[in-house]
Structures are given as structure tokens and as C-alpha cells.
Amino acid sequence: LLVVTTSGKIASCPLVGSGAQKATCSQLSVPSLPSSFGAAPATAIEVKTGSGLRVMVATGSRVSLLELHVDDEGSHWREAGSVFLPEDAQVVAVAATHDSLLVTAEDGSAHLWHLRANGAAVSEGASHVDVPTFGSRRKWQSACLLPSGKIMRLASTWQRSKSGASTLRPELLI
């Protein structure tokens, strides 16, 4: 498990054992992401090409695909490509594998791109956009692509208890 911190550092958090519920994270010896990305939604993945590390980070309706480049001057991040959501979309989460990028917007829509080996998107527009048909009162947190091709979303909703207190409850939706 790779994690991108709000300060732009990349950490590795290996899960030990099949039922592991805790992980000990350690910062990787790679440069932090450029400060221009701030605390934007991001994800990191290991790839078999280049330096072996790729990061996808969202700013506004744009998602930049960065690759760690190593040369005589050391290592630095360079843009391998970018994709765009509709202008009014606000990105809440980014998830990726070596060949796909899934971006969750504030309205719960999930935008999927297929990626080439070099990290560039196969097409300019999302190859698939999945819009939830259930409840606009949810606060969408993230989404992931299941092996079946279906999209699973994490959301939260306010629910009132018998005592009248409101609590934020998580939901997994397929």
C-alpha cells in the first residue's frame, strides 16, 4: 500500500498477513510532490516501467499523471500526461492501477480512463462515466473498480439516532 500525504510525501505501508488491520508506514526516499499540488486528492502506484513509481494528483477538474524520473541530477517528478473532468466537477478522490485511473467527483460520479504503459490515457475523455442513481444527500468519499468491472463507492450520510443526535455513518455502495 502506497500513501500520498497532505505534505506531498510518499510512504509505503505494508500490510502483514492476510487479516492485517494495521500497517506501519515509512517514508520512501523519493522527492516530495511539487508544492503546487498542495493537499490535493492523490494516489501512488508502483509500475514496472521507468523508476517504478507513478502518482496521480487532482487540481480542480484536472488530474496530472506524474512519473518519478531518475537522471544524472537525481530524481524528480515529471508529468507523463493529464486527463480532465467536466469543468464543474470537483474531484474528491483518485484511485489507480497500472492500467486504469478512476476519479470520483463530489456528485458521486466515477470517471474511468484506461492507461497505456507509459501512464498516458488511451483517450482524452473518460472511457466510462458511472453516475450513481441513489441519493444526492450522500457525501461521496471515494470509489474503486472491482474485478467484475463494477464500481464500488464509499459514502457517508447523516443519520438521526433515537435520542435525536445526528451521526455521520459510512456506506459502501455497489
Side-chain angles (χ1 to χ4, degrees):
L1 175 66
L2 294 176
V3 176
V4 180
T5 68
T6 56
S7 62
K9 296 185 183 331
I10 313 294
S12 175
C13 306
L15 296 171
V16 180
S18 60
Q21 295 183 7
K22 291 184 180 182
T24 302
C25 298
S26 57
Q27 183 177 330
L28 295 180
S29 297
V30 299
S32 296
L33 295 177
S35 59
S36 59
F37 290 113
T43 190
I45 59 170
E46 289 183 86
V47 292
K48 294 179 181 174
T49 60
S51 67
L53 197 58
R54 190 173 289 150
V55 172
M56 287 74 163
V57 60
T59 49
S61 60
R62 179 177 194 246
V63 179
S64 299
L65 294 87
L66 306 176
E67 195 167 77
L68 187 61
H69 181 70
V70 180
D71 57 23
D72 294 339
E73 297 175 17
S75 56
H76 56 274
W77 295 102
R78 73 172 179 195
E79 189 164 319
S82 61
V83 297
F84 294 87
L85 277 72
E87 269 189 47
D88 58 341
Q90 290 297 314
V91 176
V92 296
V94 180
T97 65
H98 70 284
D99 64 355
S100 67
L101 170 66
L102 184 64
V103 179
T104 308
E106 191 175 44
D107 65 358
S109 61
H111 304 256
L112 175 68
W113 284 266
H114 296 287
L115 302 177
R116 293 187 174 103
N118 67 359
V122 171
S123 62
E124 191 171 300
S127 61
H128 180 71
V129 178
D130 187 79
V131 180
T133 57
F134 33 78
S136 60
R137 296 188 334 214
R138 290 182 168 90
K139 178 169 175 50
W140 301 100
Q141 305 293 332
S142 67
C144 67
L145 190 61
L146 298 174
S148 66
K150 290 185 178 183
I151 293 174
M152 180 170 61
R153 291 177 176 79
L154 174 63
S156 52
T157 56
W158 288 102
Q159 300 204 344
R160 196 170 301 277
S161 67
K162 291 179 183 177
S163 68
S166 292
T167 52
L168 198 56
R169 299 205 40 205
E171 299 177 297
L172 278 176
L173 305 154
I174 297 178

